[in-house]
Amino acid sequence: MPLSMNREVFITCAVTGSGDTVSKSGHVPITPKQIAEAAVEAAKAGAAIVHCHVRDPETGAPARRLDLYREVTDRIRSADIDIVLNLTAGMGGDLVFGNVESPFPVNEKGTDMAGATERVAHVAECLPEICTLDCGTMNFSLGDYVMTNTPSMLREMARQMTALGVRPEIEAFDTGHLWFAKQLVEEGLIEDPVLIQLCMGIPWGAPDDLNTFMAMVNNVPSNWTFSAFSIGRNALAYPAAAILAGGNVRVGLEDNLYIGKGQLATNGQLVEKAVSVIEGMGAKIIGPAEVREKLKLTKR
C-alpha cells in the first residue's frame, strides 16, 4: 500500500490510567490537583488533548467518584493554557470471576459493574469535549479479569454521549471492536466526524507488531480520524508508526512509565519526546483550536 503519512498531527497525553502503576513510579499523578498539573505540563509540552482517569486520593486505586472528576475538570479549565479535555468512560465494566472451578460468585475485589447511565454520569456532570468508549469485551491482562462492554451497553452509552454533545473517542483493542464501531456509526449512535484510538499491545487484544497494526489501520474508514499507541517497551516507537500510517499520536504515563531504559518519565517528557519524533519526520503539530475545528468539538 502507498505511504500516506499524516502531516498535521495532534498529540493526546493519557496522564494517569487505572492500572497498578502508582507503586512503580512516583511520577504517576493521583490526586485531582496532581492530575490537573500533569495535564497542564503535557499541554505546555505540546499535547492538544489530555485523557484523564481519576484515582482515590488516599490509595491511588482507580475511582469513579463524581467529585474527583469535577475537581479535575474545574482545575484543567481554569488553567493558564488551552487544553481539550478527554475523560475516560471505561470504568464500571470490570468483571473478575471467582476461579477456574467456581467462576461464581464473582470476586468482589476488582469487580466494578455499573449500568450505562452510571458509567457516563461524570460525563453528564462535567461535559468534557471528548470521552472514551471501549468498543468491546476482552480478556484483559492475566487471571480472571474480563473488560466487559456488551453490544447493548455500548449502544446505550454511545446514545447518551451523543445526546450530551460529547464526542466519543472509540477505543479499539482488536479488529472486532472496529467492526462494532462501524455498526454504531451505521445506526446513527455516533456522529461524524468519527474519532478512534487504536490500542495496541494490551494483553489479550491486538499485539503491537506492524502487520497487526496495519490490519487495524486498514479497517479504519478513510474519513475517520484515528490515533494509536502501544504500551510498555514499544510505546516510544509508536509515534513514528502512527503518523506514517496516517494517524495521530498518544503518549503518557497510562501507557508507559519510561523515557529510556531504567529512566522513569514524566508526562511532559513523554510529550516532548513525541514532539521531537513528529517534527523530526517533517510533520506539523496542531493545537487545541485546530483539533476542535477538525473534530467539531464543543468547547465548554
Side-chain angles (χ1 to χ4, degrees):
M1 62 180 294
L3 184 67
S4 184
M5 175 176 159
N6 184 11
R7 300 285 176 177
E8 295 189 343
V9 180
F10 62 78
I11 299 172
T12 297
C13 184
V15 298
T16 188
S18 59
D20 181 23
T21 52
V22 172
S23 63
K24 300 173 184 176
S25 172
H27 297 306
V28 176
I30 297 171
T31 68
K33 182 175 184 291
Q34 290 170 344
I35 293 167
E37 287 174 346
V40 171
E41 176 195 18
K44 289 182 176 179
I49 303 172
V50 290
H51 171 60
C52 299
H53 290 242
V54 294
R55 294 177 179 270
D56 184 306
E58 300 299 324
T59 67
R64 288 193 290 113
R65 284 168 42 189
L66 291 183
D67 62 315
L68 299 178
Y69 277 111
R70 180 79 265 171
E71 184 177 349
V72 167
T73 299
D74 289 345
R75 285 180 178 276
I76 289 174
R77 286 180 174 156
S78 64
D80 60 355
I81 188 169
D82 191 18
I83 310 172
V84 174
L85 179 60
N86 175 341
L87 294 181
T88 184
M91 306 296 291
D94 301 319
L95 179 62
V96 182
F97 289 101
N99 58 59
V100 295
E101 300 296 345
S102 302
F104 294 105
V106 298
N107 187 335
E108 292 185 6
K109 184 179 180 180
T111 293
D112 177 31
M113 297 293 291
T117 299
E118 184 178 346
R119 288 182 69 175
V120 299
H122 64 293
V123 177
E125 168 75 15
C126 300
L127 293 176
E129 296 176 66
I130 302 170
C131 68
T132 58
L133 184 66
D134 296 346
C135 214
T137 295
M138 61 177 275
N139 293 333
F140 204 104
S141 192
L142 303 174
D144 299 300
Y145 170 58
V146 178
M147 181 181 75
T148 307
N149 298 287
T150 67
S152 295
M153 178 70 73
L154 291 170
R155 283 187 169 95
E156 180 58 21
M157 290 176 69
R159 186 195 67 76
Q160 292 192 29
M161 292 170 182
T162 299
L164 289 166
V166 177
R167 176 75 60 205
E169 180 190 59
I170 299 165
E171 290 201 334
F173 296 79
D174 217 332
T175 52
H177 298 180
L178 290 170
W179 186 7
F180 191 70
K182 293 173 188 176
Q183 184 66 26
L184 292 176
V185 173
E186 184 176 326
E187 294 175 14
L189 295 170
I190 293 177
E191 299 175 342
D192 288 332
V194 180
L195 174 63
I196 194 152
Q197 185 73 246
L198 301 180
C199 310
M200 308 299 297
I202 291 90
W204 300 102
D208 61 7
D209 64 273
L210 289 178
N211 283 336
T212 304
F213 177 52
M214 289 312 301
M216 295 280 279
V217 170
N218 290 335
N219 273 284
V220 176
S222 60
N223 61 331
W224 292 13
T225 297
F226 79 90
S227 292
F229 72 92
S230 178
I231 63 170
R233 65 185 299 174
N234 289 332
L236 295 179
Y238 254 72
I243 63 172
L244 276 174
N248 298 281
V249 170
R250 171 172 142 172
V251 292
L253 293 180
E254 177 174 353
D255 308 326
N256 164 48
L257 298 178
Y258 294 92
I259 194 68
K261 187 174 182 179
Q263 297 177 282
L264 291 170
T266 67
N267 282 293
Q269 288 172 332
L270 291 172
V271 173
E272 288 170 356
K273 184 77 169 181
V275 167
S276 67
V277 170
I278 295 164
E279 292 182 337
M281 294 174 68
K284 171 189 173 184
I285 296 169
I286 64 174
E290 293 165 293
V291 169
R292 288 190 185 97
E293 182 177 359
K294 180 182 181 68
L295 298 177
K296 297 181 181 177
L297 302 177
T298 302
K299 183 179 180 181
R300 299 179 172 95

